[in-house]
Amino acid sequence: MLSEAPHAVGTRVVVQGKRGPEVATVRGEAGDPDPQARYGSVLRAATPEDLARWDELHRQGEDLKWLLRARARERGLPVKIVALEFTLDESLVTVSYSAEDRIELGGLIGDLRGHTRARVNFAAVGPREQAQIIGTLGACGRGNCSSTHLQEFAPVSIRMARDQQLPLNPEKLSGPCGRLLCCLQFEHGMYLELLRDLPRKNARVCHTESGACGKVTKLHPLAGTVDVQTDQGLLAGVPAQALTRVTDPAGGKGRRSEADAAET
């Protein structure tokens, strides 16, 4: 039976997860329920018994994780056991693992039989899923988005970094998982809107007050300004409204579209 009353942010609740009932924490206001959703619904507020049981299953999962790591080393299996997670009713335990190649792990099931009656499910996870399960700190100093509020991973591309005028430094653009930062896609749509009002990079423009003309060298979307390199020198932080876009020989006027974003 689904819970009818909304729960305050921070409340511990029992939810119907993908694998079965789980304990979760409310992190935002409730939205309209999806009648087609098979999981994600709140079943009830977690009772003290639920929380005690959940903590015990977590400790059991940690102990069994180290047990399987030891057994894997004994068998010479090239695999990293990332986590063991039980459902609240202990009907299923999911063993998350990472391996370079396809690997047979059925032999490890027997190592669990003496410790739990739960059905065992092996799930291969990538770098982002590992960061989500383990939990790390992001460059902002807060908990990484994947283990705090993200429910699924959206595609992230290097073009998003270009649109936000970020230096293409892999160390600064990568999260603890070694992949592009998930937060690059959070504000991407807003940057695209701001960039539509700016001339594209390398476009020919003229300053309406001084009459100086030159080439756009850098964009500042949040400020609504650009830097222009003229024959007389550099004009920095010029408002886009103070520029006239010069028609180029190909017939363009330096206007920007979404397709131009890849050039910046």
Side-chain angles (χ1 to χ4, degrees):
M1 179 176 176
L2 302 184
S3 175
E4 296 180 357
H7 300 279
V9 174
T11 302
R12 303 293 296 279
V13 294
V14 177
V15 300
Q16 182 60 41
K18 295 181 181 180
R19 300 182 289 252
E22 300 174 325
V23 172
T25 302
V26 177
R27 297 192 180 277
E29 299 297 330
D32 296 330
D34 182 359
Q36 304 299 322
R38 293 177 295 175
Y39 56 84
S41 56
V42 177
L43 301 178
R44 64 178 186 275
T47 65
E49 292 77 14
D50 290 329
L51 297 178
R53 180 60 177 160
W54 190 245
D55 288 342
E56 174 58 31
L57 289 171
H58 177 73
R59 287 192 293 270
Q60 184 178 354
E62 281 293 298
D63 291 340
L64 292 178
K65 176 185 72 176
W66 291 105
L67 172 66
L68 286 192
R69 284 184 176 181
R71 295 293 185 267
R73 284 196 300 269
E74 291 173 1
R75 292 179 169 86
L77 297 175
V79 62
K80 176 184 177 182
I81 304 298
V82 178
L84 271 78
E85 299 172 293
F86 286 92
T87 54
L88 183 60
D89 57 6
E90 202 179 348
S91 63
L92 177 69
V93 57
T94 298
V95 181
S96 300
Y97 71 92
S98 172
E100 293 293 333
D101 302 307
R102 187 178 181 86
I103 189 171
E104 178 56 52
L105 299 175
L108 296 178
I109 296 179
D111 297 317
L112 296 175
R113 290 305 183 201
H115 302 275
T116 179
R117 296 180 180 178
R119 181 167 57 89
V120 181
N121 174 55
F122 288 99
V125 296
R128 284 183 173 175
E129 288 81 8
Q130 290 186 55
Q132 182 181 52
I133 294 171
I134 297 172
T136 60
L137 289 179
C140 59
R142 304 179 64 181
N144 62 312
C145 300
S146 60
S147 58
T148 54
H149 66 87
L150 285 184
Q151 299 299 308
E152 57 186 15
F153 295 108
V156 183
S157 69
I158 197 67
R159 171 176 170 175
M160 296 178 179
R162 291 194 182 103
D163 290 344
Q164 297 174 43
Q165 315 304 303
L166 297 174
L168 302 184
N169 184 332
E171 293 184 0
K172 293 185 177 181
L173 295 179
S174 300
C177 62
R179 298 295 189 267
L180 288 173
L181 292 163
C182 291
C183 54
L184 287 175
Q185 55 92 14
F186 293 166
E187 300 176 350
H188 186 231
M190 178 59 68
Y191 270 91
L192 289 181
E193 291 185 18
L194 295 173
L195 288 169
R196 291 192 186 101
D197 296 328
L198 299 180
R200 66 174 181 265
K201 189 175 180 180
N202 296 323
R204 182 79 177 171
V205 296
C206 291
H207 191 239
T208 53
E209 293 184 7
S210 66
C213 297
K215 181 177 68 173
V216 175
T217 58
K218 189 174 183 179
L219 310 179
H220 305 280
L222 295 179
T225 64
V226 300
D227 294 348
V228 181
Q229 182 67 52
T230 70
D231 294 337
Q232 293 75 29
L234 177 66
L235 297 177
V238 181
Q241 296 84 350
L243 296 172
T244 300
R245 303 175 190 182
V246 181
T247 302
D248 58 34
K253 294 185 178 180
R255 294 182 180 176
R256 184 183 183 83
S257 65
E258 288 190 23
D260 295 325
E263 299 179 7
T264 60

